[in-house]
Each structure stands twice: as C-alpha cells, then as structure tokens.
Amino acid sequence: MLSGCSAGLRLLVPRRCVLLSRSVTSGNPGRAAAVDGVLSAFRSICGDDGVSLGETVREQHGKDESVHRCRPPDVVVFPRCVEEVSALAKLCHRHQLPIIPFGTGTGLEGGVGAVKGGVCFSLRNMDQILDLHPEDFDVTVEPGVTRKALNSYLRETGLWFPVDPGADASLCGMAATSASGTNAVRYGTMRENVMNLEVVLADGSVIHTAGRNRRPRYRFKALPVSVFRKTAAGYNLTNLFVGSEGTLGIITKTTLRLYGVPEEMVSAVCSFSSVQAAVDSTVQILQAGVPIARIEFLDEVMIDACNKFSSLSYPVSPTLFLEFHGSERSLEEQVNTTEDITQSNGGSDFQWARDAETRNRLWKARHDAWYAALAMRPGCKAYATDVCVPLSRLPHIIVETKEDLIESRLTGHIVGHVGDGNFHCLMVMDPSDQDELHRVHLFSQRLARRALAMDGTCTGEHGVGLGKRSLLCEEVGPSVIRVMQSLKDAIDPNNLMNPGKILL
C-alpha cells in the first residue's frame, strides 16, 4: 500500500466498498490477460476494496447521461491520492492498457465509454478541498469534489464558485470538459476560471500546468484590482488540458477562481408571443451593457414540460428566465433597462422571484429540464445536443431550428444559455423506432452544420466525446486536426488516454 497520500481537509463523503470477482470479462483475450496480470499490483497500490471487476460496477463506469451505448471497462480502480493515480498509470503504461478517467458520469457525449476496454480510474475517493485562499479568491480541489460540495464548504466565507452546468458534476471533470452553464454570461466558463491543474500523464508522470503551487490570475471585472496577478510565462498549458476530455491526462487537482457572493440577487420570468421576440430581447439586453448574471431561454414546449414537472404555472409561450446580481442601486438600473427592452419587444410584466427559496425553485426547474422533457413521453429516451453561435445570429438559428423540429416531426424542446449564444435541443424519442432515431440523427447533423454556417461551433459546452468527432473536423479543418493529433501523439504516443474520443 502506498504511504505517500497527502493529508488535507477531507469532505464527509463516505467511502464505499466495491465488489471483486476472480477474472476479467473482455472481448479481447490479450488485454484480458494483461489486466489479470496486473490486478495484484493494482490491489497493492489502492487496496482490495479499491479494485473492482464486478459487472455492475463496470457498467456504471462505462456510460454517462448520453444515448451512446454502455461500453464498460475491464476493471475499475479507486485511487485515493495523486501518488496512487501515478503508480496505477505507470502500470497501465507498462502493460499498454487504456486509461479512462471517471468523475460523476454526467457527460452528454459518451466521453467515459471504454471503447477499447482498459482501466477506468474512478476519482470519487479523492475528495479533499485544499489550499483555500479567501484573500486571493482561489481554492484548490481534488477530483472527487463537486461544485455543490465546494459551495457548501465556502458558505461561511462570503465566496462562491459560480460555474453551474446544472448537474452536480465534479470540478475536475468540469475542467476536463470545459463545462459552462447558466452563469457563464457574467462569470465565464471553466476556461476563464481554471488557474492551474495537476495532471497525471499516460506514463504516470505528474505535471502542474502553471507550475507547482502557482496561482496566476488574469484581470476579471468581478474581482478587486488589488488581487489581480498575471503571467506571460510560456505556453498556456492549463487551457490545453481544459476541454481535453481525458485524452491527454488525468486531472487530479484544479485551482479555481472564486468570487464574492453578490450583495443582492433577484430573478424574474418574462413571457413573449414569439421566439423571435424573446431572442431579440436577449441580444438587445447584452448590447445595452446590462451585466446580467443569467438569461435563459425556454421555448413553449419546454416551459410546458417544466410547468408540469415542477408544478409551475407560467404562460405556455417562449420565455426568458433572468437573474440580476449586484448592489441594491445597480440592480435597480439593471432591472429598469431590461424591463424597457423586453416590453419594447412585447414581453409580459416580470414575475419576480426575490427570496432565496423562490429563486432556488425557479432555477431548479430550469436544471430539471432534462427530466421534465423525459416525463412528457414516459418510457422514451432523451437525446441532447448543443451548439453556439455569435449573438447576432442567435434569433435566426433558433427560429430555423424550431421550424426544422416541426418539419421533422420530432418531440423537441429548446432551452439554452442564450446570453452567450449557446442553446440546447432536448429530443425525446422511442429507442425502438428506427425511423425516429434516424430523423433525430439527421436533425442533429443539420443543426450543427447550421451553426457552423453561421460562424459558430458544433458544441458550446457538451464537448466532442464520441458523438461530434466528424463535426469537429468540419469545424476546424484538417490542418488544425493534424496539429491536435500531433499534440496528442507527443503527450500520449501510445494512445492510452481515453482513446477514441475527440479525434477520429
């Protein structure tokens, strides 16, 4: 057993035992033999209860929330510290076993499937919050820490971490997928909020992308000037690994930018007669310079589903959920400007959510949109896809997408973080209906290419994973793909890190 695990402030997350069986079930006899050959070494590193060959455990770690079929790994290991991750990776490297990092399994593009078998590194036991510097507005966490756990821990400090993808995802997993969410319009995505990463590479070596213990900053308007620090030292390796989806290394620590909890928060709901009016309002609000914290669009299909699932009673029409952060005086200015704009586009009077309980209920309904959509067709499955376009093209693409959904005879809901040009289509389908599956596939391809034709991207926050590899090539072109492949080959020459994802 390794003794190099560092001590730290451990969250109260119980460690669960995992099941063991005697042999590996694998479609590749050579790989099965290789795994069998290193099981005793795996157990010597992270203990008998830190290695699982159980079928149920492997299946749980071979799928995410996407429609991509489950592809379980040959074995799941549960390291407790970076030293164990490094030692396990060295064994995998020596025996040429693929490595698939696993956080909470909340991804939407098949990013955790073991397409070539191998070893899943489940990081839930690495659950320490380290090196909180409230005076510098930063904190370092291990991969088992989720965003809700961090914000609960920060509650008495007057600080919070605002990146909110909806699911209670692990923070290192959010860095790996470059997650975003409802607050991105004001606070940015993970790319703007990750300052440093500790990463274990395929050969087991450990690097710190900005240097060990470095906490460089870039100027960001929500922080006081006195804490700004910056760096021009070398390549930006941190952002190379943010969004790499586990294909370059295993993120074992991330240093994050924190923010002061706003003095005041208030939310509102505004309904419109048309999609065009709602999205036009969004663009105009941002063009007016309103520092809005959240601005979410729900079409009439989505708001109807949310009303039924979350026991709400909003008008069944295109709707904006809005939230404002700031001082009492600044909120008054933000709200007045926003109301003027929405009413000029035929929007309804605001329905307010001022107290924390009502606001939380509103945003929980938004975050439960996936389950609300599923509830509209019991027994069916949901497929989510997302795109992002320049703000000026947002009204056009959403209107065209609505028309395409109707013409394609699909049960589709549109919801999105329209403040940064990003929106999602949630389609509920019968998995046994091959014609419907085909129509969903064709629609998704058209949507992505529609976004590309408008100078946008095929994914604003879900990532590439398995589902959008060919679209990535269309988006960036073969020359950029060659550079990406060169980087992958240099860092992971044996293609052991999460193979089959991002690059074809």
Side-chain angles (χ1 to χ4, degrees):
M1 188 87 67
L2 288 184
S3 59
C5 296
S6 55
L9 185 61
R10 183 166 293 278
L11 297 176
L12 297 178
V13 179
R15 186 175 178 199
R16 292 176 286 175
C17 294
V18 293
L19 301 174
L20 296 174
S21 62
R22 294 188 178 181
S23 62
V24 177
T25 302
S26 172
N28 184 324
R31 189 177 66 241
V35 173
D36 279 333
V38 297
L39 286 176
S40 61
F42 284 170
R43 292 177 181 132
S44 72
I45 292 169
C46 49
D48 287 347
D49 64 346
V51 181
S52 177
L53 298 168
E55 183 178 354
T56 300
V57 173
R58 291 190 297 112
E59 286 184 354
Q60 288 172 344
H61 289 82
K63 61 183 177 181
D64 56 14
E65 296 284 350
S66 73
V67 296
H68 298 284
R69 68 182 180 88
C70 177
R71 299 191 181 190
D74 298 310
V75 59
V76 183
V77 294
F78 297 84
R80 295 158 296 190
C81 58
V82 64
E83 293 84 359
E84 291 187 0
V85 174
S86 174
L88 291 165
K90 287 176 180 176
L91 280 171
C92 291
H93 186 260
R94 188 180 311 151
H95 294 274
Q96 295 295 285
L97 294 171
I99 297 169
I100 306 96
F102 188 95
T104 56
T106 55
L108 292 168
E109 288 296 342
V112 298
V115 295
K116 296 188 177 181
V119 183
C120 174
F121 283 52
S122 181
L123 303 168
R124 71 185 187 201
N125 289 333
M126 297 175 65
D127 55 11
Q128 297 181 65
I129 296 176
L130 308 164
D131 299 326
L132 172 62
H133 299 96
E135 69 283 2
D136 290 330
F137 293 78
D138 62 60
V139 68
T140 300
V141 301
E142 289 188 326
V145 180
T146 66
R147 65 174 186 87
K148 287 184 179 179
L150 175 61
N151 280 326
S152 177
Y153 179 80
L154 294 171
R155 189 169 295 149
E156 302 303 318
T157 68
L159 300 174
W160 72 314
F161 184 70
V163 180
D164 175 9
D168 189 22
S170 67
L171 291 158
C172 288
M174 287 167 60
T177 57
S178 190
S180 181
T182 57
N183 288 310
V185 63
R186 176 159 180 160
Y187 299 98
T189 71
M190 290 301 285
R191 286 198 186 278
E192 290 79 45
N193 289 288
V194 173
M195 301 160 60
N196 199 354
L197 296 169
E198 178 185 81
V199 181
V200 176
L201 301 180
D203 63 0
S205 58
V206 182
I207 66 169
H208 298 82
T209 57
R212 183 183 291 273
N213 298 325
R214 303 296 173 193
R215 295 176 287 125
R217 284 191 183 277
Y218 299 94
R219 181 167 177 141
F220 201 78
K221 63 184 179 183
L223 292 177
V225 174
S226 60
V227 302
F228 291 160
R229 295 192 303 273
K230 56 186 179 180
T231 179
Y235 297 149
N236 189 342
L237 292 184
T238 301
N239 267 353
L240 174 63
F241 283 89
V242 173
S244 61
E245 302 183 34
T247 63
L248 299 179
I250 304 170
I251 298 174
T252 51
K253 289 188 184 73
T254 180
T255 301
L256 301 168
R257 178 178 288 114
L258 302 177
Y259 297 81
V261 174
E263 178 184 331
E264 300 282 348
M265 297 184 188
V266 62
S267 299
V269 178
C270 184
S271 303
F272 295 84
S273 60
S274 69
V275 171
Q276 184 79 46
V279 182
D280 281 346
S281 294
T282 300
V283 175
Q284 292 165 22
I285 289 165
L286 296 171
Q287 288 173 337
V290 177
I292 198 161
R294 291 171 162 172
I295 183 163
E296 297 284 299
F297 171 78
L298 298 83
D299 73 355
E300 70 279 4
V301 182
M302 189 73 259
I303 195 70
D304 185 40
C306 287
N307 278 344
K308 293 172 179 174
F309 186 79
S310 299
S311 301
L312 303 175
S313 56
Y314 295 118
V316 180
S317 61
T319 301
L320 293 179
F321 286 4
L322 310 105
E323 187 163 279
F324 307 89
H325 295 175
S327 66
E328 185 175 345
R329 176 176 294 180
S330 71
L331 283 189
E332 183 179 353
E333 294 175 352
Q334 293 178 49
V335 168
N336 288 341
T337 301
T338 302
E339 279 190 308
D340 287 345
I341 290 170
T342 56
Q343 289 179 4
S344 72
N345 286 294
S348 67
D349 291 339
F350 283 0
Q351 297 186 52
W352 293 103
R354 298 181 185 276
D355 61 279
E357 182 179 351
T358 308
R359 282 191 294 103
N360 290 339
R361 185 173 176 229
L362 174 68
W363 293 108
K364 185 177 187 304
R366 164 61 185 90
H367 289 323
D368 285 345
W370 173 273
Y371 306 105
L374 276 172
M376 297 294 278
R377 287 183 71 184
C380 290
K381 300 290 184 181
Y383 173 71
T385 187
D386 81 312
V387 297
C388 190
V389 296
L391 249 136
S392 62
R393 310 304 297 273
L394 192 61
H396 189 193
I397 192 171
I398 290 186
V399 169
E400 283 194 3
T401 301
K402 283 287 295 180
E403 293 171 352
D404 195 354
L405 277 170
I406 294 168
E407 291 173 4
S408 301
R409 296 176 290 110
L410 294 173
T411 304
H413 311 66
I414 295 180
V415 59
H417 322 307
V418 287
D420 51 15
N422 182 209
F423 71 95
H424 311 256
C425 282
L426 308 180
M427 286 160 285
V428 186
M429 58 193 182
D430 179 354
S432 65
D433 186 336
Q434 293 302 312
D435 177 66
E436 187 175 24
L437 291 175
H438 183 61
R439 283 185 278 120
V440 166
H441 172 73
L442 293 179
F443 168 84
S444 301
Q445 296 290 306
R446 286 194 302 273
L447 173 59
R449 293 190 173 106
R450 188 178 298 127
L452 295 181
M454 295 183 183
D455 303 324
T457 175
C458 66
T459 176
E461 62 181 16
H462 290 182
V464 176
L466 286 171
K468 294 189 173 180
R469 292 175 298 171
S470 60
L471 289 165
L472 175 67
C473 187
E474 292 181 34
E475 179 172 330
V476 301
S479 297
V480 172
I481 292 293
R482 283 195 294 271
V483 173
M484 290 184 184
Q485 188 65 61
S486 296
L487 290 168
K488 167 76 168 170
D489 293 342
I491 296 171
D492 178 21
N494 297 315
N495 192 26
L496 298 181
M497 292 303 313
N498 208 10
K501 315 299 166 45
I502 299 183
L503 300 171
L504 291 168

